[in-house]
Amino acid sequence: LLCLFSGAALYEIALNWGFSACSATLASGVYLALPHTFIFSHQLISESIHTPLIIISFWLMSRFWIQKRFFNLLLSAFTLGIATFVRPITLLWAIVPAITLLFRKRISSAFLYVLFAFIPVLLWMTFMFAQTGHFSMGESQRDLQHNLYQRVWRISESMDVAKAEAVKNDYLNQGEVGTISPLHYLSFATNYPVPFILHTVRDSLVFFAKSGIERATIDYFRVGNVERDTLQDSRGGWRHKLESEGWTATILYMIRTQGLTLLVSIIGAAFMVTLSSLALVGAFRILLEWSQFEDTQKAMAIIFIGFPAYIWFFSQLVDALQSRHRAPAESTMILLAIYGAMWLQAKREKAKNKSL
């Protein structure tokens, strides 16, 4: 139900931004049909709650800009806070909508938005302080410092023996076992830029090209004789093979282990690459037409462009990005893609008319 409601919310967001009813329906339909939306909506997984709440937060924000009802703004912030409580990746996102409010000289509104967005998190951190004496969201093997450690370790595995040993001595064996501070991580990125950049490129390929459709083939249709680890475990399978042995060995490995599922994944990747490319076109169109937008459209456009970039950036803080990390940004990517596709279609028709 939450997923279906978020689909309806996305429809209204599109209308509020100026889409036709047909284009808004297309945006909602594509969102509901995407593998992560379709599969996560009936699985016990954090994205099944986090992603719909993010869309509902955007919907309430768009209603605030259209209807000027302050209650919608506060409810948007609080919904974002609940989503952040589920998945902390959006912890800093409240700053971006607050900036759009500051541009409109709504200083008190910006302050209250940030405050209400942090209420659920602050309540939990207060509870943790009362229980443990530590004012934090909790400690686990999934917190930032553990993730950075795992990322540095993973990158070192793709380096030659001498450099990997140096990384181990200089970074992985310093401080608390299994953790690395953000400053040490930045130091590592500065001292080893090439391996760092290559890992970021591999993550970006997953973010913009891997559809996640293989989850359906494995979880529901059981297509082919496929082991889950070859597709869904970032510590092994195809990703580890790519980092350690290169593209040729990885492709042969995937053909041997995935069978028909590989074909399904390729089709899904082709769709995702098209969607991502059109989203970039849509973002470019927004930049070109920026001066023509009303203030409300500008505020919404900042969110549409900024949120996928935000999710991409903070998804770089795990050991290896998976397509599921893109799920919160898929709705805004769809809106951008349709906006870009409409622009290309208009240009095509204009060129066709000139040739007649």
Side-chain angles (χ1 to χ4, degrees):
L1 291 176
L2 188 63
C3 174
L4 291 174
F5 185 78
S6 67
L10 185 61
Y11 172 84
E12 186 171 321
I13 291 172
L15 291 179
N16 289 342
W17 199 36
F19 279 21
S20 66
C22 181
S23 297
T25 301
L26 177 62
S28 180
V30 172
Y31 161 71
L32 292 173
L34 284 180
H36 293 137
T37 310
F38 178 75
I39 296 167
F40 291 162
S41 61
H42 51 276
Q43 287 188 345
L44 187 59
I45 191 168
S46 58
E47 284 89 350
S48 65
I49 301 174
H50 180 258
T51 299
L53 286 179
I54 290 296
I55 296 174
I56 293 169
S57 176
F58 290 163
W59 166 62
L60 291 166
M61 174 63 84
S62 72
R63 281 199 153 197
F64 163 74
W65 288 118
I66 298 295
Q67 302 174 357
K68 312 301 182 187
R69 291 185 60 191
F70 192 66
F71 176 75
N72 284 331
L73 179 69
L74 297 183
L75 193 55
S76 169
F78 191 73
T79 304
L80 173 62
I82 297 174
T84 301
F85 177 72
V86 176
R87 283 184 70 83
I89 188 173
T90 43
L91 183 65
L92 300 178
W93 172 251
I95 296 172
V96 178
I99 290 174
T100 66
L101 290 166
L102 289 175
F103 284 157
R104 299 286 294 274
K105 298 182 180 180
R106 293 175 175 267
I107 299 175
S108 60
S109 296
F111 172 77
L112 287 173
Y113 186 90
V114 174
L115 177 63
F116 270 69
F118 276 91
I119 284 177
V121 174
L122 290 174
L123 287 175
W124 175 253
M125 292 174 70
T126 302
F127 171 78
M128 290 298 297
F129 179 77
Q131 296 296 315
T132 66
H134 297 285
F135 191 67
S136 68
M137 293 188 71
E139 297 180 1
S140 71
Q141 296 299 316
R142 300 282 185 176
D143 62 27
L144 177 61
Q145 294 192 357
H146 281 89
N147 281 338
L148 294 180
Y149 179 92
Q150 291 297 328
R151 188 172 181 83
V152 171
W153 172 83
R154 190 180 186 96
I155 295 174
S156 71
E157 288 287 291
S158 65
M159 301 163 66
D160 61 54
V161 176
K163 289 183 178 179
E165 189 64 26
V167 170
K168 181 178 180 181
N169 293 330
D170 295 340
Y171 297 98
L172 299 180
N173 290 343
Q174 300 295 322
E176 184 181 346
V177 177
T179 65
I180 185 172
S181 71
L183 287 178
H184 276 84
Y185 178 69
L186 290 175
S187 172
F188 165 77
T190 302
N191 291 325
Y192 299 94
V194 174
F196 177 85
I197 291 172
L198 287 176
H199 196 73
T200 301
V201 169
R202 288 189 289 265
D203 275 351
S204 298
L205 288 174
V206 173
F207 188 91
F208 292 107
K210 193 168 182 284
S211 70
I213 189 62
E214 67 278 352
R215 300 188 72 96
T217 59
I218 291 176
D219 294 347
Y220 300 103
F221 304 125
R222 305 291 181 181
V223 176
N225 183 23
V226 183
E227 296 181 2
R228 287 176 182 268
D229 287 351
T230 65
L231 292 173
Q232 297 180 356
D233 187 355
S234 63
R235 296 166 297 179
W238 73 271
R239 182 67 189 261
H240 179 73
K241 187 72 88 172
L242 174 62
E243 294 167 352
S244 60
E245 300 182 33
W247 284 100
T248 302
T250 302
I251 292 172
L252 293 175
Y253 170 77
M254 292 170 71
I255 292 173
R256 185 176 66 254
T257 59
Q258 296 185 30
L260 185 58
T261 303
L262 177 59
L263 176 61
V264 176
S265 297
I266 290 173
I267 295 172
F271 172 81
M272 199 63 224
V273 168
T274 302
L275 182 70
S276 299
S277 300
L278 288 174
L280 290 174
V281 172
F284 180 68
R285 180 188 178 186
I286 287 174
L287 296 178
L288 287 180
E289 299 177 349
W290 185 259
S291 61
Q292 304 173 28
F293 288 171
E294 298 176 354
D295 288 344
T296 296
Q297 288 179 306
K298 287 180 179 179
M300 295 174 68
I302 290 173
I303 291 174
F304 294 162
I305 294 178
F307 194 64
Y310 174 95
I311 293 297
W312 172 85
F313 178 82
F314 283 99
S315 293
Q316 303 296 317
L317 302 182
V318 297
D319 64 338
L321 192 146
Q322 300 179 50
S323 62
R324 62 180 288 185
H325 293 128
R326 184 191 61 239
E330 287 178 344
S331 60
T332 48
M333 291 175 69
I334 290 168
L335 292 173
L336 289 174
I338 293 176
Y339 196 62
M342 289 189 298
W343 189 46
L344 293 178
Q345 179 64 22
K347 283 186 168 295
R348 180 182 176 185
E349 291 179 357
K350 185 177 180 181
K352 184 178 179 181
N353 291 334
K354 279 186 177 182
S355 65
L356 293 177

